[in-house]
Amino acid sequence: MPFMLFCTLVVASRAEIAEEEDVLVLKKSNFDEALAAHPNLLVEFYAPWCGHCKALAPEYAKAAGMLKKEDSDIRLAKVDATEETELAQEFGVRGYPTIKFFKGGEKESPKEYSAGRQANEIVSWLKKRTGPAVSTLAGVTEAESLIADNEVSVIGFFKDAESDDAKAFQKAAEAIDDIPFAMTADDAVYSKFEVSKDSVLLFKKFDEGRNTFDGELTKENLLAFVKANQLPLVIEFTEQTAPKIFGGDVKSHILMFLPKAASDFQEKMDQFKKAADGFKGRILFIFIDSEVDDNQRILEFFGLKKEECPAIRLITLEDEMTKYKPESSAITAESITKFCTLFTEGKLKPHLMSQEIPEDWEKNPVKVLVGKNFEEVAFNPKKNVFVEFYAPWCGHCKQLAPIWEKLGEKYKDSADIIVAKMDSTANEIEAVKVHSFPTLKFFPAGEEHKVIDYNGERTLDGFSKFLESGGKEGGAPAGDDDDDLDAEVNHLD
């Protein structure tokens, strides 16, 4: 009887976990129960007001329904991180959506979800995480289903599953989370896809439809093959494609800003795509509809206005972001190929944006810097210059503004201290790379061109101590100032 009562209580407690469109709704009170009941659990930490979360919601629910229909032991769940703040803090949630995969009921070290935001991509990633890296195709029907159900899939044709080539295929599959890999030795499958010898084929629902691997079959070569062919020659930037764009291995991106409604849209797209073919796996070709409201932040990041489109820009997303602008405004395969070739050969100079110097830049206590006057002011050997690099839309910058103005007022009559600010969405300088807003940097007097980061308390007292000590005191980290991250890289993925 006690055992039956215990079972009843367990079932009852599990039944209390509510669902919305097949997605479990988790709170601190039922989180541990959910982990115990579902050994493979993907959890989205979201904010109700977050645009990215709203865009993800229908695909997330669709993925949950697909898995539930298959009677899979994988479940999808969500947590309102604005309400369940303790859970959000426990799992280090600093942006939305944050998606984590919990395996085996363990709370420690969940895996960050790293794939796309379409339902089939979510399902594929989860299956790769919970099942074998390579599935076995017994016949043509299974092969056709794999290809039909996935945007991209890879099939290895191997008569001997223990061959060196098959083992290299297995190792490559284990290294890729978001694309299904399968293997077959079936003669009918060989015949169906006109394969006469052991080989690897990548199937995709875009461009040429399939690619055949050519060369020595090693894990490294196969990974390079998949990387070069898994994305369209030209990929449109959207909420759904952003994770693929920013999360991929190709960190050099060329962007074409063009209204989709333009009369010559297809003509320019054809030219862009023609140029893309020669840089597969080296440069990602991205199209951005310059008329879409959600894309205006990206235009601003590149110093562009809608009226200036069509336009081409190139950016590297390595440790230091660097932008490049072509000399020619022509959008032809020839001009784009020339531009990309110069880039790959290291022959391009970075493009640094700058506004014109305002006539009254010195008028107020906080001096206004732009790209064209920055070095003259910041590296004046007789001045100690404290600069705020800000973005007009940044909430943290707006909160800091009145304190920064008071700081400028306090030192407006100083003989050797200058308090300044620069709009980093419209101005760039080679000496300082800004990755978050606000960024605060101190340029002490002297010929050395030193740059000192300020990470201390954002108070008038904290700033004053820092300045009066020549940048030596009061600059200790003050804790969790969650700055607004760079628009192009962190807000739009």
Side-chain angles (χ1 to χ4, degrees), residues 142-195:
E142 289 184 16
E144 289 179 329
S145 295
L146 177 76
I147 295 166
D149 292 345
N150 295 280
E151 188 79 1
V152 179
S153 55
V154 182
I155 299 179
F157 293 79
F158 301 107
K159 289 298 183 182
D160 179 5
E162 297 302 316
S163 68
D164 289 343
D165 284 356
K167 288 177 180 176
F169 182 81
Q170 175 77 31
K171 288 178 180 176
E174 290 167 357
I176 296 178
D177 288 332
D178 53 345
I179 296 174
F181 278 60
M183 192 184 295
T184 187
D186 186 72
D187 289 337
V189 182
Y190 271 69
S191 177
K192 171 67 180 177
F193 296 103
E194 300 177 342
V195 176

Short mmCIF file of all heavy atoms in Angstrom, two decimals, residues 142-195:
data_model
loop_
_atom_site.label_atom_id
_atom_site.label_comp_id
_atom_site.label_asym_id
_atom_site.label_seq_id
_atom_site.Cartn_x
_atom_site.Cartn_y
_atom_site.Cartn_z
N GLU A 142 14.13 4.49 -46.89
CA GLU A 142 14.76 5.18 -45.76
C GLU A 142 15.67 6.31 -46.23
O GLU A 142 15.70 7.39 -45.63
CB GLU A 142 15.56 4.18 -44.91
CG GLU A 142 14.69 3.21 -44.13
CD GLU A 142 15.52 2.29 -43.23
OE1 GLU A 142 16.70 2.61 -42.99
OE2 GLU A 142 14.99 1.27 -42.79
N ALA A 143 16.40 6.07 -47.31
CA ALA A 143 17.29 7.10 -47.85
C ALA A 143 16.49 8.30 -48.35
O ALA A 143 16.83 9.46 -48.07
CB ALA A 143 18.14 6.52 -48.98
N GLU A 144 15.40 8.03 -49.06
CA GLU A 144 14.56 9.11 -49.59
C GLU A 144 13.91 9.90 -48.46
O GLU A 144 13.77 11.13 -48.54
CB GLU A 144 13.50 8.53 -50.52
CG GLU A 144 14.08 8.03 -51.84
CD GLU A 144 13.02 7.43 -52.76
OE1 GLU A 144 12.02 6.88 -52.23
OE2 GLU A 144 13.20 7.50 -53.98
N SER A 145 13.51 9.22 -47.39
CA SER A 145 12.90 9.90 -46.25
C SER A 145 13.91 10.81 -45.56
O SER A 145 13.58 11.95 -45.19
CB SER A 145 12.37 8.88 -45.24
OG SER A 145 11.31 8.14 -45.80
N LEU A 146 15.13 10.33 -45.39
CA LEU A 146 16.18 11.15 -44.77
C LEU A 146 16.40 12.43 -45.56
O LEU A 146 16.46 13.52 -45.00
CB LEU A 146 17.49 10.36 -44.69
CG LEU A 146 18.69 11.13 -44.12
CD1 LEU A 146 18.57 11.23 -42.60
CD2 LEU A 146 20.01 10.45 -44.49
N ILE A 147 16.48 12.30 -46.87
CA ILE A 147 16.73 13.46 -47.73
C ILE A 147 15.53 14.41 -47.72
O ILE A 147 15.69 15.63 -47.66
CB ILE A 147 17.04 12.99 -49.17
CG1 ILE A 147 18.36 12.20 -49.19
CG2 ILE A 147 17.12 14.17 -50.13
CD1 ILE A 147 18.59 11.41 -50.47
N ALA A 148 14.32 13.84 -47.75
CA ALA A 148 13.11 14.66 -47.79
C ALA A 148 12.88 15.41 -46.48
O ALA A 148 12.36 16.53 -46.48
CB ALA A 148 11.90 13.78 -48.10
N ASP A 149 13.26 14.81 -45.38
CA ASP A 149 12.96 15.38 -44.06
C ASP A 149 13.98 16.40 -43.58
O ASP A 149 13.78 17.04 -42.54
CB ASP A 149 12.86 14.26 -43.00
CG ASP A 149 11.66 13.36 -43.23
OD1 ASP A 149 10.76 13.76 -44.00
OD2 ASP A 149 11.63 12.26 -42.66
N ASN A 150 15.09 16.56 -44.29
CA ASN A 150 16.15 17.45 -43.81
C ASN A 150 16.62 18.42 -44.90
O ASN A 150 16.71 18.05 -46.07
CB ASN A 150 17.35 16.62 -43.33
CG ASN A 150 17.00 15.78 -42.12
OD1 ASN A 150 16.98 16.27 -40.99
ND2 ASN A 150 16.72 14.50 -42.35
N GLU A 151 16.91 19.63 -44.48
CA GLU A 151 17.43 20.64 -45.41
C GLU A 151 18.76 20.18 -46.00
O GLU A 151 19.04 20.37 -47.18
CB GLU A 151 17.61 21.97 -44.66
CG GLU A 151 17.96 23.16 -45.53
CD GLU A 151 16.76 23.76 -46.25
OE1 GLU A 151 15.63 23.27 -46.07
OE2 GLU A 151 16.96 24.70 -47.02
N VAL A 152 19.60 19.57 -45.15
CA VAL A 152 20.89 19.04 -45.58
C VAL A 152 21.08 17.68 -44.92
O VAL A 152 20.77 17.50 -43.74
CB VAL A 152 22.05 19.97 -45.16
CG1 VAL A 152 23.40 19.38 -45.60
CG2 VAL A 152 21.88 21.36 -45.76
N SER A 153 21.58 16.72 -45.66
CA SER A 153 21.89 15.40 -45.10
C SER A 153 23.10 14.84 -45.83
O SER A 153 23.40 15.22 -46.96
CB SER A 153 20.70 14.45 -45.23
OG SER A 153 20.27 14.36 -46.58
N VAL A 154 23.81 13.93 -45.15
CA VAL A 154 25.02 13.35 -45.73
C VAL A 154 24.90 11.83 -45.67
O VAL A 154 24.60 11.26 -44.62
CB VAL A 154 26.28 13.80 -44.96
CG1 VAL A 154 27.54 13.21 -45.61
CG2 VAL A 154 26.38 15.32 -44.93
N ILE A 155 25.13 11.18 -46.81
CA ILE A 155 25.06 9.72 -46.87
C ILE A 155 26.40 9.17 -47.34
O ILE A 155 26.96 9.58 -48.35
CB ILE A 155 23.95 9.24 -47.82
CG1 ILE A 155 22.58 9.74 -47.34
CG2 ILE A 155 23.94 7.70 -47.91
CD1 ILE A 155 21.42 9.33 -48.24
N GLY A 156 26.92 8.22 -46.55
CA GLY A 156 28.15 7.52 -46.92
C GLY A 156 27.81 6.18 -47.55
O GLY A 156 27.02 5.41 -46.99
N PHE A 157 28.35 5.93 -48.73
CA PHE A 157 28.12 4.66 -49.43
C PHE A 157 29.36 3.79 -49.22
O PHE A 157 30.41 4.04 -49.83
CB PHE A 157 27.88 4.92 -50.91
CG PHE A 157 26.60 5.67 -51.20
CD1 PHE A 157 26.53 7.05 -51.01
CD2 PHE A 157 25.47 5.00 -51.63
CE1 PHE A 157 25.35 7.75 -51.28
CE2 PHE A 157 24.29 5.69 -51.89
CZ PHE A 157 24.22 7.07 -51.71
N PHE A 158 29.24 2.81 -48.33
CA PHE A 158 30.38 1.96 -47.99
C PHE A 158 29.95 0.49 -47.94
O PHE A 158 29.06 0.13 -47.16
CB PHE A 158 30.97 2.35 -46.63
CG PHE A 158 31.44 3.78 -46.55
CD1 PHE A 158 30.72 4.72 -45.82
CD2 PHE A 158 32.59 4.18 -47.22
CE1 PHE A 158 31.15 6.03 -45.74
CE2 PHE A 158 33.01 5.51 -47.16
CZ PHE A 158 32.30 6.44 -46.42
N LYS A 159 30.59 -0.34 -48.75
CA LYS A 159 30.28 -1.77 -48.72
C LYS A 159 30.82 -2.43 -47.45
O LYS A 159 30.25 -3.39 -46.95
CB LYS A 159 30.88 -2.45 -49.96
CG LYS A 159 30.18 -2.10 -51.26
CD LYS A 159 28.73 -2.54 -51.26
CE LYS A 159 28.04 -2.26 -52.57
NZ LYS A 159 26.60 -2.66 -52.55
N ASP A 160 31.92 -1.86 -46.93
CA ASP A 160 32.51 -2.40 -45.70
C ASP A 160 32.46 -1.32 -44.62
O ASP A 160 33.19 -0.33 -44.67
CB ASP A 160 33.96 -2.81 -45.97
CG ASP A 160 34.65 -3.36 -44.70
OD1 ASP A 160 33.98 -3.50 -43.66
OD2 ASP A 160 35.87 -3.63 -44.77
N ALA A 161 31.59 -1.50 -43.64
CA ALA A 161 31.42 -0.50 -42.57
C ALA A 161 32.65 -0.40 -41.67
O ALA A 161 32.76 0.55 -40.88
CB ALA A 161 30.20 -0.85 -41.73
N GLU A 162 33.57 -1.34 -41.78
CA GLU A 162 34.78 -1.31 -40.96
C GLU A 162 35.99 -0.79 -41.73
O GLU A 162 37.12 -0.81 -41.22
CB GLU A 162 35.07 -2.73 -40.43
CG GLU A 162 34.00 -3.27 -39.50
CD GLU A 162 33.77 -2.38 -38.29
OE1 GLU A 162 34.77 -1.93 -37.69
OE2 GLU A 162 32.60 -2.13 -37.96
N SER A 163 35.79 -0.34 -42.95
CA SER A 163 36.90 0.19 -43.75
C SER A 163 37.41 1.50 -43.16
O SER A 163 36.71 2.17 -42.38
CB SER A 163 36.46 0.42 -45.19
OG SER A 163 35.51 1.49 -45.24
N ASP A 164 38.62 1.89 -43.54
CA ASP A 164 39.21 3.14 -43.03
C ASP A 164 38.35 4.34 -43.44
O ASP A 164 38.16 5.28 -42.66
CB ASP A 164 40.64 3.31 -43.56
CG ASP A 164 41.60 2.33 -42.92
OD1 ASP A 164 41.26 1.75 -41.87
OD2 ASP A 164 42.70 2.14 -43.47
N ASP A 165 37.83 4.30 -44.67
CA ASP A 165 36.99 5.41 -45.14
C ASP A 165 35.70 5.52 -44.31
O ASP A 165 35.27 6.61 -43.94
CB ASP A 165 36.64 5.22 -46.61
CG ASP A 165 37.80 5.55 -47.54
OD1 ASP A 165 38.85 6.01 -47.03
OD2 ASP A 165 37.67 5.36 -48.76
N ALA A 166 35.11 4.38 -44.02
CA ALA A 166 33.88 4.38 -43.22
C ALA A 166 34.14 4.89 -41.80
O ALA A 166 33.32 5.61 -41.22
CB ALA A 166 33.28 2.98 -43.17
N LYS A 167 35.30 4.54 -41.26
CA LYS A 167 35.65 5.01 -39.91
C LYS A 167 35.90 6.51 -39.90
O LYS A 167 35.53 7.21 -38.95
CB LYS A 167 36.88 4.25 -39.41
CG LYS A 167 36.59 2.79 -39.05
CD LYS A 167 37.85 2.05 -38.63
CE LYS A 167 37.54 0.60 -38.28
NZ LYS A 167 38.76 -0.18 -37.95
N ALA A 168 36.52 7.04 -40.97
CA ALA A 168 36.73 8.48 -41.07
C ALA A 168 35.38 9.20 -41.17
O ALA A 168 35.18 10.28 -40.59
CB ALA A 168 37.59 8.80 -42.29
N PHE A 169 34.44 8.58 -41.91
CA PHE A 169 33.08 9.12 -42.04
C PHE A 169 32.41 9.20 -40.67
O PHE A 169 31.77 10.20 -40.32
CB PHE A 169 32.29 8.24 -43.00
CG PHE A 169 30.89 8.71 -43.27
CD1 PHE A 169 30.64 9.71 -44.20
CD2 PHE A 169 29.81 8.14 -42.61
CE1 PHE A 169 29.34 10.14 -44.46
CE2 PHE A 169 28.52 8.55 -42.85
CZ PHE A 169 28.28 9.56 -43.79
N GLN A 170 32.55 8.14 -39.89
CA GLN A 170 31.98 8.08 -38.54
C GLN A 170 32.53 9.19 -37.66
O GLN A 170 31.78 9.88 -36.95
CB GLN A 170 32.29 6.71 -37.92
CG GLN A 170 31.85 6.55 -36.47
CD GLN A 170 30.37 6.30 -36.31
OE1 GLN A 170 29.75 5.71 -37.18
NE2 GLN A 170 29.80 6.76 -35.20
N LYS A 171 33.85 9.41 -37.72
CA LYS A 171 34.48 10.45 -36.90
C LYS A 171 34.01 11.84 -37.31
O LYS A 171 33.78 12.71 -36.47
CB LYS A 171 36.00 10.36 -37.00
CG LYS A 171 36.58 9.15 -36.28
CD LYS A 171 38.09 9.07 -36.44
CE LYS A 171 38.66 7.85 -35.72
NZ LYS A 171 40.12 7.73 -35.95
N ALA A 172 33.83 12.07 -38.60
CA ALA A 172 33.34 13.37 -39.07
C ALA A 172 31.91 13.59 -38.58
O ALA A 172 31.55 14.70 -38.15
CB ALA A 172 33.40 13.43 -40.60
N ALA A 173 31.10 12.54 -38.64
CA ALA A 173 29.70 12.64 -38.19
C ALA A 173 29.62 13.02 -36.72
O ALA A 173 28.75 13.79 -36.30
CB ALA A 173 28.97 11.32 -38.44
N GLU A 174 30.52 12.47 -35.92
CA GLU A 174 30.52 12.75 -34.48
C GLU A 174 30.88 14.21 -34.18
O GLU A 174 30.55 14.73 -33.12
CB GLU A 174 31.52 11.82 -33.77
CG GLU A 174 31.06 10.37 -33.74
CD GLU A 174 32.17 9.41 -33.33
OE1 GLU A 174 33.31 9.90 -33.13
OE2 GLU A 174 31.90 8.20 -33.22
N ALA A 175 31.52 14.88 -35.14
CA ALA A 175 31.96 16.28 -34.93
C ALA A 175 30.92 17.30 -35.38
O ALA A 175 31.09 18.50 -35.15
CB ALA A 175 33.27 16.52 -35.67
N ILE A 176 29.84 16.84 -36.01
CA ILE A 176 28.83 17.76 -36.54
C ILE A 176 27.49 17.48 -35.87
O ILE A 176 26.96 16.37 -35.97
CB ILE A 176 28.71 17.63 -38.07
CG1 ILE A 176 30.03 18.04 -38.74
CG2 ILE A 176 27.56 18.47 -38.61
CD1 ILE A 176 30.04 17.89 -40.24
N ASP A 177 26.95 18.49 -35.20
CA ASP A 177 25.72 18.30 -34.42
C ASP A 177 24.44 18.47 -35.23
O ASP A 177 23.42 17.86 -34.92
CB ASP A 177 25.67 19.31 -33.26
CG ASP A 177 26.66 18.97 -32.17
OD1 ASP A 177 26.97 17.78 -32.01
OD2 ASP A 177 27.14 19.90 -31.49
N ASP A 178 24.46 19.36 -36.24
CA ASP A 178 23.19 19.82 -36.81
C ASP A 178 22.85 19.23 -38.17
O ASP A 178 21.89 19.68 -38.81
CB ASP A 178 23.18 21.35 -36.88
CG ASP A 178 24.40 21.90 -37.61
OD1 ASP A 178 25.36 21.15 -37.81
OD2 ASP A 178 24.37 23.09 -37.97
N ILE A 179 23.61 18.26 -38.64
CA ILE A 179 23.33 17.63 -39.93
C ILE A 179 23.29 16.12 -39.74
O ILE A 179 24.23 15.53 -39.18
CB ILE A 179 24.39 18.00 -40.99
CG1 ILE A 179 24.36 19.50 -41.26
CG2 ILE A 179 24.17 17.23 -42.29
CD1 ILE A 179 25.46 19.98 -42.18
N PRO A 180 22.23 15.43 -40.19
CA PRO A 180 22.17 13.97 -40.03
C PRO A 180 23.12 13.26 -41.01
O PRO A 180 23.19 13.60 -42.19
CB PRO A 180 20.71 13.65 -40.33
CG PRO A 180 20.23 14.77 -41.18
CD PRO A 180 20.99 15.98 -40.75
N PHE A 181 23.82 12.27 -40.50
CA PHE A 181 24.70 11.43 -41.30
C PHE A 181 24.13 10.02 -41.31
O PHE A 181 23.66 9.53 -40.29
CB PHE A 181 26.11 11.38 -40.69
CG PHE A 181 26.99 12.56 -41.04
CD1 PHE A 181 26.64 13.85 -40.68
CD2 PHE A 181 28.19 12.35 -41.72
CE1 PHE A 181 27.46 14.92 -40.98
CE2 PHE A 181 29.02 13.42 -42.03
CZ PHE A 181 28.66 14.71 -41.66
N ALA A 182 24.20 9.37 -42.46
CA ALA A 182 23.74 7.98 -42.56
C ALA A 182 24.70 7.20 -43.46
O ALA A 182 25.47 7.78 -44.23
CB ALA A 182 22.33 7.93 -43.12
N MET A 183 24.64 5.89 -43.33
CA MET A 183 25.53 5.03 -44.09
C MET A 183 24.71 3.90 -44.71
O MET A 183 23.72 3.46 -44.12
CB MET A 183 26.59 4.47 -43.15
CG MET A 183 27.76 3.77 -43.84
SD MET A 183 28.91 3.03 -42.63
CE MET A 183 29.55 4.47 -41.79
N THR A 184 25.11 3.46 -45.89
CA THR A 184 24.40 2.35 -46.52
C THR A 184 25.37 1.47 -47.30
O THR A 184 26.38 1.95 -47.82
CB THR A 184 23.28 2.86 -47.45
OG1 THR A 184 22.51 1.75 -47.92
CG2 THR A 184 23.85 3.61 -48.65
N ALA A 185 25.01 0.18 -47.38
CA ALA A 185 25.74 -0.76 -48.22
C ALA A 185 24.77 -1.42 -49.20
O ALA A 185 25.14 -2.35 -49.92
CB ALA A 185 26.42 -1.82 -47.35
N ASP A 186 23.54 -0.92 -49.24
CA ASP A 186 22.47 -1.53 -50.01
C ASP A 186 22.63 -1.25 -51.51
O ASP A 186 22.74 -0.08 -51.92
CB ASP A 186 21.12 -1.02 -49.52
CG ASP A 186 19.96 -1.71 -50.17
OD1 ASP A 186 19.72 -2.89 -49.86
OD2 ASP A 186 19.30 -1.07 -51.02
N ASP A 187 22.62 -2.29 -52.33
CA ASP A 187 22.80 -2.14 -53.78
C ASP A 187 21.71 -1.27 -54.40
O ASP A 187 21.97 -0.48 -55.32
CB ASP A 187 22.79 -3.52 -54.46
CG ASP A 187 24.05 -4.32 -54.15
OD1 ASP A 187 25.08 -3.68 -53.81
OD2 ASP A 187 24.01 -5.56 -54.26
N ALA A 188 20.49 -1.39 -53.89
CA ALA A 188 19.38 -0.61 -54.45
C ALA A 188 19.58 0.89 -54.22
O ALA A 188 19.24 1.72 -55.07
CB ALA A 188 18.06 -1.08 -53.83
N VAL A 189 20.14 1.23 -53.06
CA VAL A 189 20.41 2.65 -52.77
C VAL A 189 21.55 3.16 -53.66
O VAL A 189 21.48 4.27 -54.20
CB VAL A 189 20.76 2.84 -51.27
CG1 VAL A 189 20.98 4.33 -50.98
CG2 VAL A 189 19.64 2.31 -50.39
N TYR A 190 22.56 2.32 -53.83
CA TYR A 190 23.65 2.68 -54.76
C TYR A 190 23.08 2.99 -56.14
O TYR A 190 23.41 4.00 -56.78
CB TYR A 190 24.66 1.53 -54.87
CG TYR A 190 25.78 1.54 -53.87
CD1 TYR A 190 25.55 1.29 -52.51
CD2 TYR A 190 27.09 1.76 -54.27
CE1 TYR A 190 26.59 1.27 -51.59
CE2 TYR A 190 28.15 1.75 -53.37
CZ TYR A 190 27.89 1.50 -52.03
OH TYR A 190 28.94 1.48 -51.13
N SER A 191 22.22 2.09 -56.61
CA SER A 191 21.63 2.22 -57.95
C SER A 191 20.73 3.45 -58.06
O SER A 191 20.78 4.19 -59.05
CB SER A 191 20.83 0.96 -58.28
OG SER A 191 20.19 1.07 -59.52
N LYS A 192 19.91 3.66 -57.04
CA LYS A 192 18.97 4.79 -57.05
C LYS A 192 19.70 6.12 -57.24
O LYS A 192 19.24 7.00 -57.99
CB LYS A 192 18.18 4.80 -55.73
CG LYS A 192 17.32 6.02 -55.52
CD LYS A 192 16.18 6.10 -56.51
CE LYS A 192 15.32 7.34 -56.27
NZ LYS A 192 14.24 7.46 -57.28
N PHE A 193 20.84 6.27 -56.56
CA PHE A 193 21.56 7.55 -56.63
C PHE A 193 22.78 7.50 -57.57
O PHE A 193 23.63 8.37 -57.53
CB PHE A 193 21.98 7.97 -55.21
CG PHE A 193 20.81 8.24 -54.32
CD1 PHE A 193 20.41 7.32 -53.35
CD2 PHE A 193 20.05 9.39 -54.47
CE1 PHE A 193 19.31 7.55 -52.55
CE2 PHE A 193 18.95 9.64 -53.67
CZ PHE A 193 18.57 8.72 -52.71
N GLU A 194 22.77 6.46 -58.42
CA GLU A 194 23.79 6.31 -59.47
C GLU A 194 25.21 6.37 -58.91
O GLU A 194 26.09 7.06 -59.42
CB GLU A 194 23.59 7.40 -60.54
CG GLU A 194 22.23 7.32 -61.21
CD GLU A 194 22.01 8.43 -62.21
OE1 GLU A 194 22.75 9.44 -62.15
OE2 GLU A 194 21.11 8.30 -63.06
N VAL A 195 25.40 5.62 -57.82
CA VAL A 195 26.71 5.53 -57.18
C VAL A 195 27.33 4.18 -57.56
O VAL A 195 26.71 3.13 -57.32
CB VAL A 195 26.59 5.65 -55.65
CG1 VAL A 195 27.96 5.45 -54.99
CG2 VAL A 195 26.03 7.02 -55.28
#
